[in-house]
Amino acid sequence: NAGVTQTPKFQVLKTGQSMTLQCAQDMNHEYMSWYRQDPGMGLRLIHYSVGAGITDQGEVPNGYNVSRSTTEDFPLRLLSAAPSQTSVYFCASREWGQRILNTEAFFGQGTRLTVV
Amino acid sequence: EDKVVQSPLSLVVHEGDTVTLNCSYEVTNFRSLLWYKQEKKAPTFLFMLTSSGIEKKSGRLSSILDKKELFSILNITATQTGDSAVYLCAALFGAGSYQLTFGKGTKLSVIP
């Protein structure tokens, strides 16, 4: 079982460059989300989606874009990278609707991004 | 503002010790509390708690929820070096649109 797959695992960007972090899940989960994790800050929600064509902002959305064209994929785009976006990014998926109350979130292995 | 607070933020113990990690929450429309273990990679699921007073157990780990006092504890008995990790708790809350908010984590270090 692949679960949640993130690519790339590591990335170094120059300030002002753009890139897309990929996330794919094979569990047919309707809910997908992106978190960033910084030292001492826990996991903070960037954007989430409750199904194809539906996205919404989380706690720290500025500087990031998302789209959801299929159930499986939820890419995160950095439009113009800044050093403040240096972080570890995790994609997560889970059930939606009433099923969410009885199931946990599954996480990808993370992308370590450094912006210089 | 909805929030989840974990304590302590870090803890160093010797192998064989018993530890208790704390998680308090203050969210609207609380649904469940989840515990994860993170060892330098993706968080892995430990427990989901939805009812007060019912202990969940997995080997040397156990957890319980108090919905009246708005907190949960994670106990680890007879700690081993393999228990060294960051332990995250998260509150699932909302009505219709569910959010999962994480605490900052407790970094546990178990030394031989």
Side-chain angles (χ1 to χ4, degrees), chain A residues 12-96:
Chain A
V12 178
L13 285 180
K14 292 183 179 178
T15 297
Q17 285 185 316
S18 62
M19 80 159 294
T20 299
L21 307 186
Q22 302 291 345
C23 176
Q25 53 92 9
D26 61 0
M27 297 172 281
N28 203 32
H29 285 165
E30 293 167 295
Y31 186 101
M32 296 184 74
S33 54
W34 277 100
Y35 290 88
R36 62 178 287 173
Q37 186 174 35
D38 302 298
M41 297 294 289
L43 286 156
R44 292 184 291 169
L45 182 65
I46 305 171
H47 284 285
Y48 66 96
S49 167
V50 299
I54 307 169
T55 63
D56 207 346
Q57 297 180 350
E59 183 185 353
V60 287
N62 292 341
Y64 308 95
N65 263 4
V66 292
S67 60
R68 185 96 178 267
S69 56
T70 67
T71 299
E72 295 79 19
D73 300 297
F74 190 44
L76 177 73
R77 295 184 189 84
L78 280 72
L79 307 173
S80 177
S84 61
Q85 294 178 304
T86 294
S87 188
V88 180
Y89 291 84
F90 288 101
C91 178
S93 76
R94 62 178 197 254
E95 299 274 10
W96 186 235

Side-chain angles (χ1 to χ4, degrees), chain B residues 1-73:
Chain B
E1 183 180 311
D2 299 310
K3 60 183 181 180
V4 176
V5 178
Q6 292 186 245
S7 65
L9 292 181
S10 67
L11 190 56
V12 180
V13 300
H14 288 95
E15 266 191 318
D17 287 351
T18 293
V19 299
T20 298
L21 310 183
N22 304 293
C23 176
S24 66
Y25 61 91
E26 194 175 326
V27 298
T28 308
N29 290 316
F30 172 81
R31 299 295 180 176
S32 59
L33 191 122
L34 294 87
W35 284 97
Y36 287 84
K37 178 182 182 182
Q38 187 176 27
E39 298 171 271
K40 296 194 177 191
K41 46 187 180 179
T44 53
F45 174 74
L46 293 174
F47 298 111
M48 174 184 280
L49 304 153
T50 55
S51 302
S52 271
I54 300 175
E55 185 183 53
K56 293 220 172 176
K57 230 173 138 54
S58 177
R60 296 175 293 102
L61 277 67
S62 64
S63 184
I64 198 161
L65 175 68
D66 185 328
K67 290 169 75 172
K68 183 179 176 187
E69 300 297 330
L70 309 182
F71 77 91
S72 173
I73 60 172

